[in-house]
Each structure stands twice: as structure tokens, then as C-alpha cells.
Amino acid sequence: MSEVLVFAEHKNGHLPKTTLVALGAGLELAAKYGTKCVAVVAGDGIEEVATRVAGYGVAAVVMLEHPALKNYVADAHAQALAALVKELGVQFVLASATAVGKDLMPRLAARLGAPMASEVVAFGDEGTLIRPTYAGNALATVELSGPVKVITVRSTAFEVAAPSENAAPVRKVDAAIDPSALKTELVSFEETKSERPQLTEARIVVSGGRGLKSGENFKTVLEPLVDAMGAAMGASRAAVDAGFVPNDLQVGQTGKVVAPELYVAVGISGAIQHLAGMKDSKVIVAINKDEEAPIFSVADFGLVADLFKAVPEMVEEVKKLKQS
Amino acid sequence: MKILVPTKRVPDPATNIQVLPDGSGIATENIKWVINPFDEIAIEEALRVKERLGSGEVVLAAIGQQSWQEQLRTGLAMGADRAILVLSESALDSLGIASVLAKIAADEQPDLVIMGKQAIDDDSNQVGQMLAEMLGWPQATFASKVEIKERRCTVVREVDGGLETLAFTLPGVITTDLRLNEPRYASLPGIMKARKKELKEVPAESLGVDLTPLLKVKELRAPSKRQAGRKVASAAELVSVLHSEAKLI
């Protein structure tokens, strides 16, 4: 009883960093309440990935299997998880606030009649949870009541779970799913192919804004810097709205939230909604020709310059460093 | 085709939000209130679906105070047909809002619900998914493209690492992402017409829905501010400090 259940999202057997963060947050929450943290892996033919999850310090892993869970679809997953939550009698259900976590957990919460806190960044005292609101301009302390509570955590706010020496037991459960209640068909998935690190996993992120002026300039001006630094590439909403780059590169309140060791903002003015997605980065660098740009108010190092001149110079300097 | 579009009133996204010193909320004087930008996109999409089909009805809904009429009128001026304002003085949580909307959906029997993926004030991103579950309907969140043929709805979704396409047979719930469309402005004739359109007010208590919030906001506080650092003179100096001082490259 009173356990913490972590939904361990996987992508074709791969465990993204966001899942390790969810496990880390689940372990932290369980420790705070003096209870156990159990992970659930859902899918079809997932023994290998379930075994891997068992190596991250959790007390047990439930392998929730059903052909309808082979690919992620909200209705099937919400049904199966709700039944499991009731069977286990857990107090908290927790997932990372990824596209899947955001899609699934509210549906699960409604099925359980349970309250939900989104994008939690810290666990407070007396059962409270801390979460950002108003694009990160306010931190709300919220309290959830009821026997079950649902949480998504922001992946930049918690440590990843450390691998443990002992593997937890893995138990297979046949998911309880009523096929007649499944009404969604997954037609296709068009993957954005990239050799670069994932935005949410990278140590360095280089982002471009409207100042780049075109998609072509992202390729010819920004990408050489991204690659010279071994970084992931991001973009402001303005650059995405203008069609310079695909939407999954958007960093901000309504895009991805990142907190790398180094964030380089190139030609980005620093609108409130962009700052919400990157202001927790360890070191922020801003390059902008407008010295009044709000991005400089959060930057550790600012360079007031024409990016079309400064960025190629930076590429040369970084290459020189790497050669020496 | 009847489309229900739930909306919320929020501070203009360009507003500089100030948390009150006692932590009870945000300073609301000087705030310009607008329709949540994602809901505006939802209204636009509903109008486009109706226009493509050549017939239908777009019904707006909101749960809040009397003053929220203003934003509903704006939506009516964009072209929605009528609006329902559920009056509630107390703060509801996402489950409460979704329960009220589920009741409205049960009464109105829409073919489709289109709504914003999140409100930009509390940034929860929950109500659409909760509503879909309460109604037992399929959901397609974070939509960047919607196509409807007969009763078949195909939605392209913005997810991690790419674009996913889902399909379902109506009814269903769609939540909108930024790239779905560019909302229109209300025209002057639209504004004139909106004054005569039906805006029905319903007290929340009359709906027979349990509105006891299970999520309570106890306190708001301002996050610690990041201090501006220093300016460097050149690209070479920037790379040099990142290398030798910050030890990042």
C-alpha cells in the first residue's frame, strides 16, 4: 500500500533520459513518504526493456502486456493503467511530462477520479507539490487530496535514477482492456531524423530565433556552430512560426523545456514564453545585435553583435580549440 | 456538424506577471484579459470545419465569472454561433472544469469538441484529455492538422521526435497546438452581429455536478530571478571564456 507507481515510458525498447528522470523523481517521492517505488512498463513483447528498468533502484517492475499496448495510444494505455492502479492500491502515479506523459496522465486521472499536478518541479512539505505557472513567472504550491494522486514531473528538475547493483523482480501482468472501448487508430508516425543529440538530453543547446531570417540561414550559419559544439539544435517560437525549422525544435512555455549546462541563444530576443523554456540552464549565452533585447537580462555572457559575423567567427574559434 | 469549443479567459501572454507579496495570487490591475491563445486557435479551426462543410454550428463554452462575457463576445464576433457561460465564483480544478464540460456535452450532443491544449495561466494541459475520458471519446491532443471526411477525423499531432497521425470516428476531442492555424480577427460586421447572438448564463450549481476541488493552490511565489552577467567584446573572447572560465567547451 501507499506506493509510488512510475510509468516508465519507452520508445521501441529504448529508455530515454526523461524516463530515468521519472524513475529518479519516483524514488525521491517514495523516500519522502517512507514507501516503495514500483515501475510499470507497458507494451507488447517488452521483457528486455522491463528488465532494464528493474536495474534502476525500484522495488519491483510490473510488465503490463497486451497487443493493444504495442504502440502508444491514450485510450488503451489509460484503461490498462487505471486497472493496475486499482489492483495495486498505489497512492501516487507519476510520469515524465513528455508528449506521451502529457497526453496520457490527465486521461488516467479522470478515469481514476483523481486530481493531477502537471510539470511538478519539487516535492514540498506536508504533501504539497511545487509547479510553475504563468510561463514560469510564478511557482504554485499545490495540494492534492483523495486516495490516488497523479503527477507529471518536469524532466529538467529532478536527477536521473542511478543504476543499482541488484535487479528488482519483474512481474508480468496481462492488461485488462476492453477492446470495444478503443476508438483511436494510430495511422502513422513520421520521425524527424537527426544525427544530433536530443534537445531534452543534450549537454549543450544552441538555439536560433527570428534573427536568423530564414531556414536556409539555420542550415548555413547556425548548424555549423551546433555541430562544432556537439550541441542539440533548438529554436524560438518565432523561428518555428516563420517556418524556418520544424516545430519539435521549439524551446519555450508551449514547446520543450530544457536546462542544459550551456544554452546559446542566437538572434533570439527573449520573449517571456521562450525564457520559460530555458532559464534554468546552468550557463546562458546570448548573441544579439539589439543590446536592449530581454535575453541579455538572463544571460551570463552576452555578445552584442551581428550574428552573421559573430557565429562564423565562433565556429572558427571552437574548431581551433578542438584541434589544439 | 455541431462543434463545442470550451474557452478560458487568461491574462494577455505579453503581460508581465507580478505575484502578490502575500502569495494569494497575481496582481490583476493593469492586466488585459484575452481568450486563451490556444482556444482562439480552436475557435478558428471549428469555424474552418464548419465553413468547409458548408453547414454546422459552433458553440462556445466558458466556466467563470460574469465578466468572462467579454471574451465570449469576442469569440462570437469571430463567427461562433452562440455561447454558454457557466457562472462559478469559486476556483475549480481541472476535474471540476472537465465535469462541467462533460455535462454541457451531454446536453448539447456535439459531434466534436475542439479546445486549446493548455491555458497559458496555469499551464496544466489536462482538461481536454479528462473530458475525452469522461465522455468515453477518443482524443487527439496537440493537433497541427485536422481533416474530416464524412464522420472520419484524421489528426496530425506534434509529439516528441516527429509527427504522429491518429484517426477516429466522430465524436471525439481535439486539442490544438500552435501551428494548427492563424486565428482570424473579428470583423466590424462580426462584432455588430455578435451583440445579438445568444449568450446563455447558467449557474454552475444548477448542473448537478460535484465541483469540490481535489487540487488546491495554497500559495504562489515569484521564482528567484536570474542575474544578468557580463558582456563580452567579441566572438573570440566569448569562446575563450566558455573554454577557460566556464570550462564548457
Side-chain angles (χ1 to χ4, degrees):
Chain A
M1 280 297 280
S2 300
E3 287 163 348
V4 174
L5 181 69
V6 174
F7 174 67
E9 182 186 347
H10 63 97
K11 285 246 156 61
N12 307 321
H14 165 73
L15 284 179
K17 185 185 169 194
T18 46
T19 299
L20 301 185
V21 170
L23 292 168
L27 288 164
E28 187 183 324
L29 186 62
K32 201 170 169 86
Y33 286 89
T35 179
K36 284 190 301 183
C37 177
V38 175
V40 55
V41 183
D44 190 28
I46 45 169
E47 198 167 336
E48 201 190 317
V49 66
T51 310
R52 233 171 321 132
V53 171
Y56 282 97
V58 291
V61 174
V62 175
M63 193 166 81
L64 193 57
E65 287 204 301
H66 194 284
L69 300 176
K70 183 154 182 56
N71 294 304
Y72 170 75
V73 178
D75 49 12
H77 276 69
Q79 265 198 46
L81 278 177
L84 180 71
V85 167
K86 285 180 189 155
E87 184 205 314
L88 297 177
V90 297
Q91 192 185 352
F92 289 98
V93 190
L94 184 151
S96 217
T98 58
V100 167
K102 290 175 187 174
D103 186 57
L104 171 63
M105 298 309 265
R107 187 158 188 136
L108 174 67
R111 199 170 175 92
L112 295 165
M116 169 168 170
S118 301
E119 308 243 5
V120 167
V121 294
F123 304 129
D125 295 328
E126 294 167 28
T128 59
L129 304 158
I130 318 292
R131 57 176 306 267
T133 56
Y134 296 98
N137 288 301
L139 284 170
T141 303
V142 303
E143 186 178 58
L144 307 183
S145 43
V148 189
K149 303 162 180 78
V150 178
I151 298 171
T152 58
V153 294
R154 184 167 276 190
S155 61
T156 54
F158 294 91
E159 299 292 328
V160 295
S164 60
E165 283 180 15
N166 306 319
V170 177
R171 176 165 72 99
K172 181 177 181 303
V173 171
D174 291 321
I177 288 178
D178 169 14
S180 70
L182 303 182
K183 295 172 181 169
T184 325
E185 180 201 341
L186 176 63
V187 178
S188 63
F189 178 65
E190 189 189 316
E191 194 181 345
T192 313
K193 293 233 159 48
S194 173
E195 302 292 313
R196 301 198 178 98
Q198 292 278 320
L199 248 184
T200 49
E201 306 198 354
R203 199 176 77 86
I204 301 177
V205 173
V206 176
S207 286
R210 200 178 354 221
L212 264 300
K213 293 197 175 110
S214 71
E216 188 56 33
N217 288 338
F218 261 83
K219 283 201 177 64
T220 56
V221 180
L222 197 68
E223 289 190 14
L225 181 63
V226 172
D227 293 334
M229 296 180 87
M233 187 161 82
S236 71
R237 177 177 160 188
V240 174
D241 282 351
F244 298 169
V245 285
N247 61 275
D248 62 343
L249 296 188
Q250 186 191 327
V251 172
Q253 177 190 14
T254 58
K256 292 202 166 62
V257 176
V258 301
E261 286 180 39
L262 174 60
Y263 188 88
V264 184
V266 179
I268 292 176
S269 63
I272 294 168
Q273 81 92 27
H274 185 75
L275 299 184
M278 45 64 80
K279 68 183 166 61
D280 293 327
S281 305
K282 292 215 176 65
V283 172
I284 296 174
V285 168
I287 303 169
N288 203 300
K289 66 178 179 201
D290 173 13
E291 64 178 313
E292 302 293 322
I295 190 79
F296 286 120
S297 69
V298 299
D300 300 280
F301 302 106
L303 175 60
V304 181
D306 176 3
L307 72 91
F308 293 103
K309 196 166 157 285
V311 171
E313 280 172 25
M314 274 187 83
V315 174
E316 286 312 308
E317 294 293 330
V318 172
K319 281 184 180 161
K320 263 193 253 169
L321 265 183
K322 298 231 156 139
Q323 278 160 7
S324 62
Chain B
M1 168 92 52
K2 189 196 269 191
I3 306 173
L4 178 67
V5 184
T7 62
K8 188 177 186 185
R9 177 173 117 129
V10 298
D12 184 290
T15 309
N16 202 352
I17 298 293
Q18 300 291 340
V19 176
L20 292 173
D22 68 357
S24 62
I26 58 162
T28 50
E29 62 271 14
N30 303 325
I31 281 188
K32 185 185 157 205
W33 298 96
V34 297
I35 305 174
N36 177 43
F38 287 99
D39 301 343
E40 231 178 344
I41 294 171
I43 297 172
E44 176 65 34
E45 196 62 23
L47 294 173
R48 288 186 190 188
V49 170
K50 180 185 156 180
E51 285 159 6
R52 275 200 297 268
L53 296 173
S55 69
E57 187 182 29
V58 175
V59 182
L60 307 179
I63 299 120
Q65 287 97 55
Q66 199 126 37
S67 52
W68 291 36
Q69 276 199 3
E70 195 189 329
Q71 281 67 40
L72 289 172
R73 287 276 174 221
T74 306
L76 294 172
M78 285 172 72
D81 296 287
R82 59 189 171 89
I84 302 164
L85 175 57
V86 178
L87 292 169
S88 168
E89 286 301 321
S90 62
L92 304 185
D93 63 2
S94 301
L95 278 176
I97 299 284
S99 305
V100 169
L101 293 173
K103 178 72 174 65
I104 293 176
D107 294 342
E108 291 281 340
Q109 297 283 321
D111 301 284
L112 180 62
V113 175
I114 310 182
M115 58 195 290
K117 73 166 180 178
Q118 75 192 63
I120 59 149
D121 50 2
D122 67 17
D123 284 333
S124 281
N125 191 338
Q126 296 177 358
V127 174
Q129 297 89 315
M130 288 177 167
L131 175 62
E133 173 60 35
M134 288 174 183
L135 295 171
W137 289 5
Q139 72 186 45
T141 53
F142 326 146
S144 62
K145 194 175 173 200
V146 174
E147 271 178 357
I148 299 173
K149 270 200 190 124
E150 306 289 325
R151 302 283 295 167
R152 193 74 177 159
C153 184
T154 307
V155 179
V156 179
R157 307 179 55 227
E158 302 189 350
V159 299
D160 295 338
L163 293 174
E164 180 187 274
T165 305
L166 288 183
F168 58 83
T169 301
L170 295 175
V173 176
I174 294 172
T175 75
T176 60
D177 218 317
L178 287 171
R179 257 69 58 181
L180 182 57
N181 60 48
E182 190 77 46
R184 71 193 65 185
Y185 290 101
S187 64
L188 193 58
I191 294 167
M192 303 301 286
K193 266 194 227 163
R195 291 187 191 155
K196 296 199 185 95
K197 287 179 179 170
E198 180 188 312
L199 197 165
K200 189 169 74 177
E201 291 183 3
V202 185
E205 304 76 47
S206 73
L207 295 175
V209 176
D210 182 8
L211 300 173
T212 318
L214 296 178
L215 179 149
K216 285 197 184 103
V217 178
K218 302 195 65 145
E219 184 196 36
L220 281 189
R221 60 190 162 81
S224 51
K225 278 252 183 301
R226 216 183 156 105
Q227 294 300 317
R230 65 172 203 261
K231 295 279 198 319
V232 293
S234 68
E237 187 190 342
L238 180 55
V239 172
S240 159
V241 294
L242 289 178
H243 174 65
S244 50
E245 197 177 312
K247 307 214 181 301
L248 287 164
I249 51 175

